[in-house]
Amino acid sequence: MTSIVEISTPTGKVYLLEGQERSVLVDALNDWWQKSILRSVRRRGEDAPGRVKLILLTHGHLDHFGGAPGLRRRLGCQIAIHRLDAGGPRTGRNLPLSTRNLYEKMARPFVSRIRAEPFEPDVMLEGEEGDLSAYGIEARWIRTPGHTEGSISIVFPGQTAIVGDLVVGRFNAPRRPAYPLWVKDPAPVKASVRKVLEYSPRTLLSGHGGPLDADEVRRFFSLV
Ligand SMILES: [Zn+2]
Ligand SMILES: [Zn+2]
């Protein structure tokens, strides 16, 4: 049995997946949250930090991978990302951002300029899906492109899915679903949401806001 612990900060969320003997941290946020993430992991028990074997990045945006190399040093674990999104960590910059509206057009120059420590991931996820049992977690990862090409979701069939930025909570109503930023074409997002919902999760856990009720997500994307 894997339990999912939410670690929430003002800019986003990471999830600690606790298996019987090993744990996986989903995403790492920006570097400035390192201390509070480590504090939350330690709060789970004296041996909790040593149990983390992997930081699994949902995608190659800096607000998710920026803190990963620092946490890797502190936890002595590996970092995994889908090969299609590895350009983010390797350059320490956001992948090219496509814009849909004026707000994104105005924000893009600033967001594109932010830098983080570049690093080489240890594990490259390939293809469309895989199993996490090697890391002691009873779940699968599936590729869910839309927000980025190499975005992944982690699915616990019939229970929960961690979706990164595929779907986010609304800024002013975090438990209501919304399209993520930096998406020019909504069609692949919708197709990936459909893919996630095929695993019949009751709840979707997002990188920003949430938790999101699966039925509400289905209605929001007109997948009823
Ligand atoms: Zn993102
Ligand atoms: Zn994000």
Side-chain angles (χ1 to χ4, degrees):
M1 187 65 194
T2 303
S3 62
I4 304 173
V5 180
E6 178 190 299
I7 301 172
S8 189
T9 74
T11 64
K13 294 180 175 185
V14 302
Y15 298 93
L16 180 66
L17 314 182
E18 294 182 323
Q20 201 85 315
E21 288 160 1
R22 285 163 285 179
S23 303
V24 170
L25 192 61
V26 179
D27 283 333
L29 303 176
N30 285 300
D31 194 42
W32 58 77
W33 297 116
Q34 191 192 110
K35 278 201 180 115
S36 61
I37 292 174
L38 286 170
R39 219 175 14 246
S40 300
V41 173
R42 273 193 214 106
R43 216 173 285 144
R44 301 295 300 171
E46 218 171 278
D47 64 336
R51 289 161 50 99
V52 178
K53 299 298 177 216
L54 186 72
I55 297 169
L56 180 56
L57 298 171
T58 57
H59 63 292
H61 281 160
L62 211 141
D63 61 321
H64 296 253
F65 74 71
L71 285 170
R72 173 167 65 181
R73 283 192 290 274
R74 300 296 293 274
L75 296 168
C77 63
Q78 295 190 315
I79 302 173
I81 191 167
H82 197 282
R83 185 178 292 283
L84 294 173
D85 267 25
R90 280 183 176 149
T91 57
R93 308 182 64 156
N94 272 312
L95 295 163
L97 304 164
S98 41
T99 58
R100 190 176 32 158
N101 53 39
L102 185 62
Y103 167 75
E104 290 180 359
K105 282 194 179 76
M106 287 169 67
R108 179 162 62 176
F110 302 100
V111 178
S112 301
R113 221 176 291 148
I114 309 169
R115 303 283 177 93
E117 178 187 341
F119 65 93
E120 184 61 32
D122 307 282
V123 181
M124 285 292 174
L125 305 179
E126 312 264 4
E128 296 303 309
E129 58 176 308
D131 187 44
L132 293 171
S133 58
Y135 299 97
I137 303 301
E138 299 155 35
R140 296 186 74 71
W141 67 264
I142 57 171
R143 188 168 81 92
T144 47
H147 179 64
T148 66
E149 269 303 293
S151 283
I152 63 159
S153 296
I154 295 101
V155 290
F156 297 82
Q159 300 166 41
T160 310
I162 301 173
V163 297
D165 288 4
L166 176 66
V167 193
V168 297
R170 255 180 238 179
F171 185 69
N172 53 357
R175 300 196 68 156
R176 307 285 304 279
Y179 271 97
L181 293 175
W182 318 119
V183 170
K184 199 171 193 171
D185 181 6
V189 171
K190 196 169 164 174
S192 286
V193 170
R194 188 192 296 274
K195 204 158 137 187
V196 169
L197 293 176
E198 277 167 15
Y199 289 84
S200 313
R202 291 192 297 271
T203 310
L204 273 64
L205 302 175
S206 172
H208 307 278
L212 306 167
D213 178 70
D215 289 331
E216 202 169 333
V217 170
R218 192 173 280 118
R219 278 193 296 275
F220 177 77
F221 287 96
S222 312
L223 295 169
V224 183

